[in-house]
Amino acid sequence: MRDSLITPTVDFTREGVQHGFLSLPHSSDASAWGAIRIPLTVVRRGHGPTVLLTGGNHGDEYEGPVALSKLAGSLQAEQVTGCVIIIPFLNYPAFKAGRRTSPIDAGNLNRLFPGNPAGTVTEKIADYVERYLLPMADFVLDIHSGGKTLDFLPFAAIHLPDDPRQQAACEAAMLAFGAPYAMKILELDSVGMLDTAAESLGKVFVSTELGGGGSSTAASVAIADRGVRRFLMHAGVCGGRPGPLPPSVLLEMPGAACYTTCEADGLLEMTRDLGQAVKQGDVIARVHDGTRTGGAVQAYRAGLDGVLAARHFPGLVKSGDTIAVVACEVPQGIGPRLNPVK
Ligand SMILES: [Zn+2]
């Protein structure tokens, strides 16, 4: 396979703190011999694990970019044993445009792994992460939120890879992050995700969903700030031990019944809010006919007992949109009930 066109302006093997870029040549109307410059920080000292921290995989999710910008500006080499690679805005064109996907090629970075060194801009970024960054890392944390179209309870998440040792390591790292909730997530569409790429390379991988709506809040950023520091301590790359916190509420998504999908365009009325308990059959949302008065009202019901963990964010909804996700609380800890979804 051909080499990546992406060139780092940092030396990943050099000791100390380096602020630089991943530079990808990109010839466009705006800049004939231009380049996309993805900011990154590398902090290395001595021998220890390597941790890769990424935000902005989707460009309209902000807890990762905010928390990782702060970390990149403050982490000192003396605080590190090993290496921390910080990339706050991984899909940089999407981040700059405030969009989930890239304005250059419509690429959804988190659906394009393993990427392609001869492909689109977004495929080239995925390829660089897959073949150059992931192999360096022992631990990977990819910080997501709901973006402009979803809102989530704040949780750290894992998928439970098949290898029990890797699964246990991912679970421990998820709980160390210390979000209010911890989720065994069922993806509708896991092909091409960074998650899948990192897990298949045997990495200790944790993702998050920390809010949404196309911005961040003081509370959601605080969860990200604290979680990143705790993740680094857990990985052993930063000294100290994560302090005591109320344990994360453990959630799982036991099947497709967790998802409620919109069947007709209209005006969304949520009848439950995030974090509220629901019973199977409860009306959790209504969709009103937005084209006339006196029209039909569609009721959407919970497919199982649980807690409202995610919701569509904008006030208008379209057929095919995920209206809500109901997750189930795991009462006995995160052990045997968290089997892979069949
Ligand atoms: Zn995302």
PDB file of all heavy atoms in Angstrom, residues 140-174:
ATOM      1  N   VAL A 140      -6.756   4.258  23.611  1.00  0.00           N
ATOM      2  CA  VAL A 140      -7.351   5.243  22.699  1.00  0.00           C
ATOM      3  C   VAL A 140      -8.672   5.722  23.301  1.00  0.00           C
ATOM      4  O   VAL A 140      -9.514   4.909  23.693  1.00  0.00           O
ATOM      5  CB  VAL A 140      -7.624   4.628  21.303  1.00  0.00           C
ATOM      6  CG1 VAL A 140      -8.201   5.685  20.361  1.00  0.00           C
ATOM      7  CG2 VAL A 140      -6.360   4.013  20.720  1.00  0.00           C
ATOM      8  N   LEU A 141      -8.828   7.041  23.376  1.00  0.00           N
ATOM      9  CA  LEU A 141     -10.091   7.645  23.836  1.00  0.00           C
ATOM     10  C   LEU A 141     -10.579   8.576  22.739  1.00  0.00           C
ATOM     11  O   LEU A 141      -9.880   9.521  22.361  1.00  0.00           O
ATOM     12  CB  LEU A 141      -9.852   8.432  25.137  1.00  0.00           C
ATOM     13  CG  LEU A 141     -11.046   9.244  25.663  1.00  0.00           C
ATOM     14  CD1 LEU A 141     -12.205   8.345  26.069  1.00  0.00           C
ATOM     15  CD2 LEU A 141     -10.607  10.112  26.860  1.00  0.00           C
ATOM     16  N   ASP A 142     -11.772   8.304  22.206  1.00  0.00           N
ATOM     17  CA  ASP A 142     -12.355   9.108  21.121  1.00  0.00           C
ATOM     18  C   ASP A 142     -13.618   9.760  21.678  1.00  0.00           C
ATOM     19  O   ASP A 142     -14.604   9.076  21.952  1.00  0.00           O
ATOM     20  CB  ASP A 142     -12.670   8.196  19.926  1.00  0.00           C
ATOM     21  CG  ASP A 142     -13.090   8.976  18.694  1.00  0.00           C
ATOM     22  OD1 ASP A 142     -12.559  10.087  18.478  1.00  0.00           O
ATOM     23  OD2 ASP A 142     -13.939   8.466  17.938  1.00  0.00           O
ATOM     24  N   ILE A 143     -13.581  11.090  21.826  1.00  0.00           N
ATOM     25  CA  ILE A 143     -14.657  11.796  22.545  1.00  0.00           C
ATOM     26  C   ILE A 143     -15.712  12.281  21.554  1.00  0.00           C
ATOM     27  O   ILE A 143     -15.435  13.118  20.703  1.00  0.00           O
ATOM     28  CB  ILE A 143     -14.078  12.981  23.349  1.00  0.00           C
ATOM     29  CG1 ILE A 143     -12.998  12.483  24.304  1.00  0.00           C
ATOM     30  CG2 ILE A 143     -15.193  13.694  24.105  1.00  0.00           C
ATOM     31  CD1 ILE A 143     -12.284  13.595  25.048  1.00  0.00           C
ATOM     32  N   HIS A 144     -16.903  11.748  21.692  1.00  0.00           N
ATOM     33  CA  HIS A 144     -18.048  12.157  20.873  1.00  0.00           C
ATOM     34  C   HIS A 144     -19.141  12.761  21.746  1.00  0.00           C
ATOM     35  O   HIS A 144     -19.158  12.583  22.966  1.00  0.00           O
ATOM     36  CB  HIS A 144     -18.664  10.945  20.156  1.00  0.00           C
ATOM     37  CG  HIS A 144     -17.843  10.405  19.039  1.00  0.00           C
ATOM     38  ND1 HIS A 144     -18.146  10.609  17.721  1.00  0.00           N
ATOM     39  CD2 HIS A 144     -16.711   9.656  19.064  1.00  0.00           C
ATOM     40  CE1 HIS A 144     -17.246  10.002  16.962  1.00  0.00           C
ATOM     41  NE2 HIS A 144     -16.361   9.416  17.755  1.00  0.00           N
ATOM     42  N   SER A 145     -20.075  13.442  21.051  1.00  0.00           N
ATOM     43  CA  SER A 145     -21.332  13.909  21.627  1.00  0.00           C
ATOM     44  C   SER A 145     -22.392  13.759  20.547  1.00  0.00           C
ATOM     45  O   SER A 145     -22.115  13.201  19.489  1.00  0.00           O
ATOM     46  CB  SER A 145     -21.223  15.370  22.062  1.00  0.00           C
ATOM     47  OG  SER A 145     -20.106  15.556  22.879  1.00  0.00           O
ATOM     48  N   GLY A 146     -23.562  14.318  20.785  1.00  0.00           N
ATOM     49  CA  GLY A 146     -24.641  14.096  19.839  1.00  0.00           C
ATOM     50  C   GLY A 146     -24.595  14.955  18.594  1.00  0.00           C
ATOM     51  O   GLY A 146     -25.334  14.699  17.644  1.00  0.00           O
ATOM     52  N   GLY A 147     -23.794  16.014  18.596  1.00  0.00           N
ATOM     53  CA  GLY A 147     -23.798  16.914  17.454  1.00  0.00           C
ATOM     54  C   GLY A 147     -25.107  17.683  17.362  1.00  0.00           C
ATOM     55  O   GLY A 147     -25.880  17.762  18.324  1.00  0.00           O
ATOM     56  N   LYS A 148     -25.356  18.212  16.176  1.00  0.00           N
ATOM     57  CA  LYS A 148     -26.518  19.098  16.008  1.00  0.00           C
ATOM     58  C   LYS A 148     -27.844  18.357  16.042  1.00  0.00           C
ATOM     59  O   LYS A 148     -28.888  18.976  16.243  1.00  0.00           O
ATOM     60  CB  LYS A 148     -26.397  19.847  14.677  1.00  0.00           C
ATOM     61  CG  LYS A 148     -25.327  20.918  14.685  1.00  0.00           C
ATOM     62  CD  LYS A 148     -25.213  21.561  13.314  1.00  0.00           C
ATOM     63  CE  LYS A 148     -24.146  22.658  13.342  1.00  0.00           C
ATOM     64  NZ  LYS A 148     -23.819  23.125  11.983  1.00  0.00           N
ATOM     65  N   THR A 149     -27.829  17.035  15.820  1.00  0.00           N
ATOM     66  CA  THR A 149     -29.114  16.353  15.634  1.00  0.00           C
ATOM     67  C   THR A 149     -29.474  15.378  16.747  1.00  0.00           C
ATOM     68  O   THR A 149     -30.557  14.792  16.701  1.00  0.00           O
ATOM     69  CB  THR A 149     -29.151  15.583  14.293  1.00  0.00           C
ATOM     70  OG1 THR A 149     -28.200  14.513  14.342  1.00  0.00           O
ATOM     71  CG2 THR A 149     -28.850  16.517  13.131  1.00  0.00           C
ATOM     72  N   LEU A 150     -28.585  15.186  17.735  1.00  0.00           N
ATOM     73  CA  LEU A 150     -28.893  14.293  18.845  1.00  0.00           C
ATOM     74  C   LEU A 150     -28.456  14.937  20.149  1.00  0.00           C
ATOM     75  O   LEU A 150     -27.582  15.816  20.163  1.00  0.00           O
ATOM     76  CB  LEU A 150     -28.152  12.944  18.704  1.00  0.00           C
ATOM     77  CG  LEU A 150     -28.601  11.984  17.606  1.00  0.00           C
ATOM     78  CD1 LEU A 150     -27.596  10.839  17.455  1.00  0.00           C
ATOM     79  CD2 LEU A 150     -29.988  11.423  17.896  1.00  0.00           C
ATOM     80  N   ASP A 151     -29.062  14.464  21.255  1.00  0.00           N
ATOM     81  CA  ASP A 151     -28.592  14.838  22.593  1.00  0.00           C
ATOM     82  C   ASP A 151     -28.550  13.563  23.421  1.00  0.00           C
ATOM     83  O   ASP A 151     -29.428  12.707  23.296  1.00  0.00           O
ATOM     84  CB  ASP A 151     -29.530  15.866  23.228  1.00  0.00           C
ATOM     85  CG  ASP A 151     -28.898  16.547  24.427  1.00  0.00           C
ATOM     86  OD1 ASP A 151     -27.680  16.416  24.637  1.00  0.00           O
ATOM     87  OD2 ASP A 151     -29.641  17.231  25.167  1.00  0.00           O
ATOM     88  N   PHE A 152     -27.511  13.424  24.247  1.00  0.00           N
ATOM     89  CA  PHE A 152     -27.281  12.191  25.007  1.00  0.00           C
ATOM     90  C   PHE A 152     -27.166  12.467  26.491  1.00  0.00           C
ATOM     91  O   PHE A 152     -26.666  13.531  26.900  1.00  0.00           O
ATOM     92  CB  PHE A 152     -25.941  11.551  24.585  1.00  0.00           C
ATOM     93  CG  PHE A 152     -25.958  10.817  23.277  1.00  0.00           C
ATOM     94  CD1 PHE A 152     -25.600  11.460  22.103  1.00  0.00           C
ATOM     95  CD2 PHE A 152     -26.314   9.484  23.212  1.00  0.00           C
ATOM     96  CE1 PHE A 152     -25.598  10.786  20.896  1.00  0.00           C
ATOM     97  CE2 PHE A 152     -26.314   8.801  22.002  1.00  0.00           C
ATOM     98  CZ  PHE A 152     -25.951   9.449  20.844  1.00  0.00           C
ATOM     99  N   LEU A 153     -27.546  11.482  27.294  1.00  0.00           N
ATOM    100  CA  LEU A 153     -27.040  11.423  28.666  1.00  0.00           C
ATOM    101  C   LEU A 153     -25.523  11.325  28.581  1.00  0.00           C
ATOM    102  O   LEU A 153     -24.996  10.691  27.671  1.00  0.00           O
ATOM    103  CB  LEU A 153     -27.534  10.150  29.376  1.00  0.00           C
ATOM    104  CG  LEU A 153     -28.950  10.092  29.868  1.00  0.00           C
ATOM    105  CD1 LEU A 153     -29.177   8.734  30.549  1.00  0.00           C
ATOM    106  CD2 LEU A 153     -29.233  11.216  30.838  1.00  0.00           C
ATOM    107  N   PRO A 154     -24.805  11.908  29.524  1.00  0.00           N
ATOM    108  CA  PRO A 154     -23.338  11.808  29.426  1.00  0.00           C
ATOM    109  C   PRO A 154     -22.831  10.418  29.818  1.00  0.00           C
ATOM    110  O   PRO A 154     -22.976   9.991  30.956  1.00  0.00           O
ATOM    111  CB  PRO A 154     -22.856  12.865  30.421  1.00  0.00           C
ATOM    112  CG  PRO A 154     -23.986  13.034  31.388  1.00  0.00           C
ATOM    113  CD  PRO A 154     -25.255  12.734  30.652  1.00  0.00           C
ATOM    114  N   PHE A 155     -22.264   9.709  28.831  1.00  0.00           N
ATOM    115  CA  PHE A 155     -21.728   8.378  29.147  1.00  0.00           C
ATOM    116  C   PHE A 155     -20.421   8.103  28.414  1.00  0.00           C
ATOM    117  O   PHE A 155     -20.169   8.635  27.340  1.00  0.00           O
ATOM    118  CB  PHE A 155     -22.757   7.276  28.867  1.00  0.00           C
ATOM    119  CG  PHE A 155     -23.251   7.123  27.465  1.00  0.00           C
ATOM    120  CD1 PHE A 155     -22.480   6.484  26.494  1.00  0.00           C
ATOM    121  CD2 PHE A 155     -24.512   7.581  27.100  1.00  0.00           C
ATOM    122  CE1 PHE A 155     -22.957   6.315  25.200  1.00  0.00           C
ATOM    123  CE2 PHE A 155     -24.996   7.426  25.800  1.00  0.00           C
ATOM    124  CZ  PHE A 155     -24.212   6.793  24.851  1.00  0.00           C
ATOM    125  N   ALA A 156     -19.597   7.264  29.043  1.00  0.00           N
ATOM    126  CA  ALA A 156     -18.478   6.612  28.364  1.00  0.00           C
ATOM    127  C   ALA A 156     -18.993   5.274  27.867  1.00  0.00           C
ATOM    128  O   ALA A 156     -19.904   4.689  28.453  1.00  0.00           O
ATOM    129  CB  ALA A 156     -17.302   6.417  29.318  1.00  0.00           C
ATOM    130  N   ALA A 157     -18.408   4.786  26.772  1.00  0.00           N
ATOM    131  CA  ALA A 157     -18.998   3.617  26.121  1.00  0.00           C
ATOM    132  C   ALA A 157     -17.931   2.664  25.615  1.00  0.00           C
ATOM    133  O   ALA A 157     -16.827   3.072  25.244  1.00  0.00           O
ATOM    134  CB  ALA A 157     -19.878   4.054  24.952  1.00  0.00           C
ATOM    135  N   ILE A 158     -18.313   1.396  25.598  1.00  0.00           N
ATOM    136  CA  ILE A 158     -17.494   0.366  24.957  1.00  0.00           C
ATOM    137  C   ILE A 158     -18.429  -0.546  24.165  1.00  0.00           C
ATOM    138  O   ILE A 158     -19.645  -0.505  24.333  1.00  0.00           O
ATOM    139  CB  ILE A 158     -16.687  -0.472  25.973  1.00  0.00           C
ATOM    140  CG1 ILE A 158     -17.624  -1.139  26.986  1.00  0.00           C
ATOM    141  CG2 ILE A 158     -15.638   0.388  26.658  1.00  0.00           C
ATOM    142  CD1 ILE A 158     -16.920  -2.154  27.853  1.00  0.00           C
ATOM    143  N   HIS A 159     -17.818  -1.377  23.328  1.00  0.00           N
ATOM    144  CA  HIS A 159     -18.609  -2.313  22.525  1.00  0.00           C
ATOM    145  C   HIS A 159     -18.429  -3.759  22.959  1.00  0.00           C
ATOM    146  O   HIS A 159     -19.077  -4.640  22.421  1.00  0.00           O
ATOM    147  CB  HIS A 159     -18.201  -2.239  21.053  1.00  0.00           C
ATOM    148  CG  HIS A 159     -18.392  -0.893  20.458  1.00  0.00           C
ATOM    149  ND1 HIS A 159     -17.422   0.065  20.453  1.00  0.00           N
ATOM    150  CD2 HIS A 159     -19.465  -0.340  19.854  1.00  0.00           C
ATOM    151  CE1 HIS A 159     -17.877   1.154  19.866  1.00  0.00           C
ATOM    152  NE2 HIS A 159     -19.111   0.944  19.500  1.00  0.00           N
ATOM    153  N   LEU A 160     -17.527  -4.019  23.873  1.00  0.00           N
ATOM    154  CA  LEU A 160     -17.224  -5.387  24.304  1.00  0.00           C
ATOM    155  C   LEU A 160     -16.648  -6.248  23.182  1.00  0.00           C
ATOM    156  O   LEU A 160     -17.361  -7.049  22.555  1.00  0.00           O
ATOM    157  CB  LEU A 160     -18.454  -6.065  24.911  1.00  0.00           C
ATOM    158  CG  LEU A 160     -18.991  -5.387  26.183  1.00  0.00           C
ATOM    159  CD1 LEU A 160     -20.125  -6.195  26.764  1.00  0.00           C
ATOM    160  CD2 LEU A 160     -17.901  -5.185  27.199  1.00  0.00           C
ATOM    161  N   PRO A 161     -15.367  -6.077  22.905  1.00  0.00           N
ATOM    162  CA  PRO A 161     -14.727  -6.947  21.910  1.00  0.00           C
ATOM    163  C   PRO A 161     -14.726  -8.406  22.370  1.00  0.00           C
ATOM    164  O   PRO A 161     -14.944  -8.703  23.546  1.00  0.00           O
ATOM    165  CB  PRO A 161     -13.303  -6.389  21.823  1.00  0.00           C
ATOM    166  CG  PRO A 161     -13.121  -5.498  22.986  1.00  0.00           C
ATOM    167  CD  PRO A 161     -14.467  -5.087  23.474  1.00  0.00           C
ATOM    168  N   ASP A 162     -14.483  -9.326  21.439  1.00  0.00           N
ATOM    169  CA  ASP A 162     -14.598 -10.763  21.724  1.00  0.00           C
ATOM    170  C   ASP A 162     -13.565 -11.264  22.731  1.00  0.00           C
ATOM    171  O   ASP A 162     -13.851 -12.136  23.535  1.00  0.00           O
ATOM    172  CB  ASP A 162     -14.452 -11.563  20.418  1.00  0.00           C
ATOM    173  CG  ASP A 162     -15.642 -11.342  19.498  1.00  0.00           C
ATOM    174  OD1 ASP A 162     -16.716 -10.971  20.016  1.00  0.00           O
ATOM    175  OD2 ASP A 162     -15.484 -11.535  18.282  1.00  0.00           O
ATOM    176  N   ASP A 163     -12.344 -10.740  22.673  1.00  0.00           N
ATOM    177  CA  ASP A 163     -11.275 -11.193  23.567  1.00  0.00           C
ATOM    178  C   ASP A 163     -11.590 -10.767  25.003  1.00  0.00           C
ATOM    179  O   ASP A 163     -11.700  -9.576  25.291  1.00  0.00           O
ATOM    180  CB  ASP A 163      -9.949 -10.575  23.087  1.00  0.00           C
ATOM    181  CG  ASP A 163      -8.801 -10.851  24.050  1.00  0.00           C
ATOM    182  OD1 ASP A 163      -8.976 -11.669  24.970  1.00  0.00           O
ATOM    183  OD2 ASP A 163      -7.726 -10.232  23.866  1.00  0.00           O
ATOM    184  N   PRO A 164     -11.751 -11.731  25.923  1.00  0.00           N
ATOM    185  CA  PRO A 164     -12.167 -11.353  27.287  1.00  0.00           C
ATOM    186  C   PRO A 164     -11.171 -10.431  27.994  1.00  0.00           C
ATOM    187  O   PRO A 164     -11.583  -9.566  28.785  1.00  0.00           O
ATOM    188  CB  PRO A 164     -12.302 -12.696  28.021  1.00  0.00           C
ATOM    189  CG  PRO A 164     -11.960 -13.769  27.069  1.00  0.00           C
ATOM    190  CD  PRO A 164     -11.629 -13.168  25.725  1.00  0.00           C
ATOM    191  N   ARG A 165      -9.868 -10.608  27.715  1.00  0.00           N
ATOM    192  CA  ARG A 165      -8.886  -9.741  28.370  1.00  0.00           C
ATOM    193  C   ARG A 165      -9.007  -8.309  27.854  1.00  0.00           C
ATOM    194  O   ARG A 165      -8.972  -7.345  28.618  1.00  0.00           O
ATOM    195  CB  ARG A 165      -7.461 -10.259  28.148  1.00  0.00           C
ATOM    196  CG  ARG A 165      -7.198 -11.575  28.854  1.00  0.00           C
ATOM    197  CD  ARG A 165      -5.843 -11.664  29.541  1.00  0.00           C
ATOM    198  NE  ARG A 165      -4.746 -11.068  28.820  1.00  0.00           N
ATOM    199  CZ  ARG A 165      -3.736 -11.759  28.270  1.00  0.00           C
ATOM    200  NH1 ARG A 165      -3.727 -13.075  28.330  1.00  0.00           N
ATOM    201  NH2 ARG A 165      -2.745 -11.152  27.686  1.00  0.00           N
ATOM    202  N   GLN A 166      -9.170  -8.180  26.545  1.00  0.00           N
ATOM    203  CA  GLN A 166      -9.356  -6.843  25.974  1.00  0.00           C
ATOM    204  C   GLN A 166     -10.666  -6.227  26.476  1.00  0.00           C
ATOM    205  O   GLN A 166     -10.728  -5.041  26.814  1.00  0.00           O
ATOM    206  CB  GLN A 166      -9.370  -6.926  24.441  1.00  0.00           C
ATOM    207  CG  GLN A 166      -9.409  -5.553  23.755  1.00  0.00           C
ATOM    208  CD  GLN A 166      -9.564  -5.663  22.245  1.00  0.00           C
ATOM    209  OE1 GLN A 166      -9.817  -6.741  21.716  1.00  0.00           O
ATOM    210  NE2 GLN A 166      -9.429  -4.544  21.566  1.00  0.00           N
ATOM    211  N   GLN A 167     -11.708  -7.045  26.563  1.00  0.00           N
ATOM    212  CA  GLN A 167     -13.000  -6.572  27.048  1.00  0.00           C
ATOM    213  C   GLN A 167     -12.887  -6.045  28.473  1.00  0.00           C
ATOM    214  O   GLN A 167     -13.393  -4.963  28.797  1.00  0.00           O
ATOM    215  CB  GLN A 167     -14.002  -7.726  26.992  1.00  0.00           C
ATOM    216  CG  GLN A 167     -15.407  -7.361  27.359  1.00  0.00           C
ATOM    217  CD  GLN A 167     -16.347  -8.539  27.122  1.00  0.00           C
ATOM    218  OE1 GLN A 167     -16.334  -9.159  26.058  1.00  0.00           O
ATOM    219  NE2 GLN A 167     -17.155  -8.846  28.096  1.00  0.00           N
ATOM    220  N   ALA A 168     -12.202  -6.800  29.322  1.00  0.00           N
ATOM    221  CA  ALA A 168     -12.042  -6.370  30.721  1.00  0.00           C
ATOM    222  C   ALA A 168     -11.245  -5.072  30.794  1.00  0.00           C
ATOM    223  O   ALA A 168     -11.555  -4.172  31.588  1.00  0.00           O
ATOM    224  CB  ALA A 168     -11.345  -7.468  31.520  1.00  0.00           C
ATOM    225  N   ALA A 169     -10.221  -4.953  29.950  1.00  0.00           N
ATOM    226  CA  ALA A 169      -9.400  -3.737  29.960  1.00  0.00           C
ATOM    227  C   ALA A 169     -10.214  -2.534  29.479  1.00  0.00           C
ATOM    228  O   ALA A 169     -10.093  -1.424  30.026  1.00  0.00           O
ATOM    229  CB  ALA A 169      -8.164  -3.930  29.079  1.00  0.00           C
ATOM    230  N   CYS A 170     -11.051  -2.736  28.462  1.00  0.00           N
ATOM    231  CA  CYS A 170     -11.898  -1.648  27.965  1.00  0.00           C
ATOM    232  C   CYS A 170     -12.927  -1.240  29.022  1.00  0.00           C
ATOM    233  O   CYS A 170     -13.169  -0.048  29.246  1.00  0.00           O
ATOM    234  CB  CYS A 170     -12.611  -2.056  26.680  1.00  0.00           C
ATOM    235  SG  CYS A 170     -11.523  -2.251  25.249  1.00  0.00           S
ATOM    236  N   GLU A 171     -13.510  -2.222  29.705  1.00  0.00           N
ATOM    237  CA  GLU A 171     -14.486  -1.922  30.758  1.00  0.00           C
ATOM    238  C   GLU A 171     -13.854  -1.114  31.875  1.00  0.00           C
ATOM    239  O   GLU A 171     -14.424  -0.127  32.367  1.00  0.00           O
ATOM    240  CB  GLU A 171     -15.045  -3.224  31.356  1.00  0.00           C
ATOM    241  CG  GLU A 171     -16.064  -3.920  30.503  1.00  0.00           C
ATOM    242  CD  GLU A 171     -16.581  -5.196  31.167  1.00  0.00           C
ATOM    243  OE1 GLU A 171     -16.487  -5.310  32.407  1.00  0.00           O
ATOM    244  OE2 GLU A 171     -17.050  -6.054  30.431  1.00  0.00           O
ATOM    245  N   ALA A 172     -12.659  -1.538  32.286  1.00  0.00           N
ATOM    246  CA  ALA A 172     -11.975  -0.832  33.389  1.00  0.00           C
ATOM    247  C   ALA A 172     -11.669   0.607  32.990  1.00  0.00           C
ATOM    248  O   ALA A 172     -11.832   1.541  33.789  1.00  0.00           O
ATOM    249  CB  ALA A 172     -10.695  -1.574  33.759  1.00  0.00           C
ATOM    250  N   ALA A 173     -11.248   0.801  31.750  1.00  0.00           N
ATOM    251  CA  ALA A 173     -10.933   2.162  31.286  1.00  0.00           C
ATOM    252  C   ALA A 173     -12.199   3.002  31.174  1.00  0.00           C
ATOM    253  O   ALA A 173     -12.193   4.200  31.494  1.00  0.00           O
ATOM    254  CB  ALA A 173     -10.208   2.090  29.942  1.00  0.00           C
ATOM    255  N   MET A 174     -13.295   2.382  30.731  1.00  0.00           N
ATOM    256  CA  MET A 174     -14.573   3.108  30.644  1.00  0.00           C
ATOM    257  C   MET A 174     -15.015   3.581  32.027  1.00  0.00           C
ATOM    258  O   MET A 174     -15.431   4.738  32.203  1.00  0.00           O
ATOM    259  CB  MET A 174     -15.651   2.195  30.048  1.00  0.00           C
ATOM    260  CG  MET A 174     -17.065   2.752  30.139  1.00  0.00           C
ATOM    261  SD  MET A 174     -18.318   1.676  29.388  1.00  0.00           S
ATOM    262  CE  MET A 174     -18.344   0.300  30.548  1.00  0.00           C
TER     263      MET A 174
END
